[in-house]
Amino acid sequence: MACMRTLLDGGLQDAKGKVYQMKCTDGTGQLVIHAVYPGICVVYNTLEAAACQWEEPLGEYMLEINHCREGREGCHLPSGACLYLGEGDLSIHAMDNCAFQMSFPLRHYSGVSVIVDLQKVVEHPPEILLQSGIDLYRLKEKFCAAGGCFVMRARDEIEHIFSAFYTVQDDLKEACLKLKVQELLLFLWQIDVASEKQREQYTAPHVETVKKIHHSLTSDLQARHTIDELSKAFLINTATLKATFKGIYGQPIGSYMKAYRMRHAAMLLRQTRKSIAEIANDVGYHNQSKFAAAFREIMQISPAEYRRENTGTGAVSIASTAEK
């Protein structure tokens, strides 16, 4: 999650770091920044929004190493390509190659960014980094040659490094972050970029088409569309449709829509007095038994049990009409 230079220079200080509230037009966002070494900070990003944007990039000598913990994050690069990070993925880029807007297809995102001001670190290098022999300018060229953005798929080594970022106690955070930043830089220093399989990039027109398809699918949950029907209606190749949809939303269309329908059904169970049969029909299931099986698969509980556990006694009588 990229952040503006002003985020590095001020903010509300508390025991957990500098706290910033992001201005998102359709949700909320919070950044918590910890200074680790001169020129290096760790940023905790939490957003409940579809998108956020800022005014300007930070420049070619600002390097961002970004880890996605939950949700998905997407950006349109200046080259016109679109990149999406999923859970556990890692991205590295110079911040002059940073889009002015980030999108969050699942309307939820949390992760950690390590921001490195290369010029400041070189001027005042921490002793522990000097001993490691890491050349940060060469590290930047290694991953960001020709203005590129490097995206590494989730792997055990990344999970091992970043798990401590999210679980360390506040009283140990300063010391832990110093160690984990060093470990991260050493890990990246040893990576053979040529042998790494990166995340796919997508074209902006295909992304916009798939977002329209997503809107169409989620606007009418009673309708059922095949991949071929969607491909013809929106003039997009079926293979491109399937690959781009999964790249943006993290799942194949069928799996994504099943989960989407069940989450919507869960909301109706909590917030309305509709019968389970009516809710099943609302989300595109005419067979109540098939709906109940799908709901249990996604939510790990039956619709009736879910309603009993998530509503007051006023809805219990309705739950008695649950699946037989």
Side-chain angles (χ1 to χ4, degrees):
M1 169 66 195
C3 40
M4 297 176 290
R5 182 176 295 279
T6 52
L7 296 179
L8 304 177
D9 299 329
L12 176 64
Q13 184 77 42
D14 67 9
K16 299 180 180 179
K18 296 178 180 179
V19 181
Y20 300 85
Q21 301 301 323
M22 295 290 287
K23 293 183 178 179
C24 304
T25 56
D26 60 349
T28 60
Q30 178 178 276
L31 309 183
V32 181
I33 299 182
H34 297 266
V36 179
Y37 296 111
I40 301 178
C41 67
V42 171
V43 185
Y44 289 83
N45 312 290
T46 306
L47 293 106
E48 302 292 336
C52 69
Q53 59 185 34
W54 44 91
E55 296 172 359
E56 74 286 326
L58 291 177
E60 62 178 311
Y61 297 113
M62 300 293 291
L63 188 69
E64 179 179 39
I65 305 164
N66 185 35
H67 179 257
C68 173
R69 184 188 191 188
E70 295 178 351
R72 295 186 72 77
E73 176 192 73
C75 68
H76 287 216
L77 301 176
S79 65
C82 301
L83 272 175
Y84 286 88
L85 258 63
E87 294 183 2
D89 289 348
L90 186 76
S91 68
I92 309 167
H93 64 94
M95 298 190 74
D96 61 339
N97 192 34
C98 175
F100 296 137
Q101 176 170 309
M102 307 297 289
S103 64
F104 310 101
L106 305 182
R107 296 188 60 86
H108 166 72
Y109 177 82
S110 68
V112 159
S113 299
V114 177
I115 310 294
V116 182
D117 183 331
L118 298 175
Q119 294 174 316
K120 186 174 291 187
V121 174
V122 170
E123 289 174 5
H124 306 283
E127 182 64 26
I128 196 167
L129 293 184
L130 280 176
Q131 294 173 1
S132 69
I134 296 173
D135 184 329
L136 290 175
Y137 281 103
R138 286 179 60 192
L139 188 72
K140 170 184 175 291
E141 287 305 310
K142 175 179 178 178
F143 290 102
C144 310
C149 177
F150 186 89
V151 180
M152 190 182 301
R153 296 187 179 194
R155 53 196 282 182
D156 290 343
E157 298 95 325
I158 298 173
E159 174 63 22
H160 169 75
I161 292 171
F162 278 92
S163 60
F165 281 84
Y166 303 111
T167 58
V168 63
Q169 299 175 186
D170 287 342
D171 58 340
L172 299 175
K173 183 161 284 187
E174 181 178 355
C176 179
L177 292 184
K178 288 180 183 294
L179 291 172
K180 299 308 288 187
V181 166
Q182 183 191 22
E183 183 181 2
L184 173 63
L185 294 176
L186 285 168
F187 166 69
L188 295 176
W189 184 246
Q190 299 174 72
I191 288 292
D192 178 9
V193 171
S195 67
E196 290 292 323
K197 187 175 182 180
Q198 297 189 52
R199 282 292 182 201
E200 297 80 2
Q201 297 186 11
Y202 308 96
T203 67
H206 287 157
V207 168
E208 292 308 309
T209 297
V210 168
K211 287 182 176 180
K212 290 177 182 177
I213 290 172
H214 177 270
H215 177 74
S216 175
L217 291 171
T218 56
S219 296
D220 183 3
L221 296 182
Q222 290 185 321
R224 298 277 185 167
H225 300 287
T226 67
I227 298 293
D228 286 339
E229 289 171 345
L230 293 169
S231 175
K232 292 175 182 177
F234 289 88
L235 303 178
I236 182 172
N237 176 274
T238 56
T240 301
L241 167 56
K242 290 189 286 187
T244 306
F245 191 100
K246 186 176 181 180
I248 297 173
Y249 298 103
Q251 291 179 288
I253 295 176
S255 301
Y256 178 89
M257 287 306 301
K258 177 185 282 189
Y260 191 98
R261 284 184 164 92
M262 296 308 107
R263 290 195 299 271
H264 186 75
M267 180 274 293
L268 294 175
L269 287 166
R270 293 192 310 269
Q271 299 181 9
T272 76
R273 296 179 61 84
K274 288 184 174 183
S275 71
I276 291 176
E278 289 175 312
I279 292 173
N281 184 68
D282 286 346
V283 298
Y285 284 80
H286 302 301
N287 183 302
Q288 192 173 332
S289 295
K290 289 184 178 180
F291 166 72
F295 192 92
R296 183 182 287 277
E297 177 186 344
I298 300 300
M299 306 300 292
Q300 306 302 307
I301 191 173
S302 74
E305 291 169 326
Y306 182 88
R307 172 167 265 170
R308 279 195 295 270
E309 293 184 7
N310 291 275
T311 63
T313 56
V316 173
S317 61
I318 299 174
S320 64
T321 65
E323 70 276 15
K324 305 299 182 185

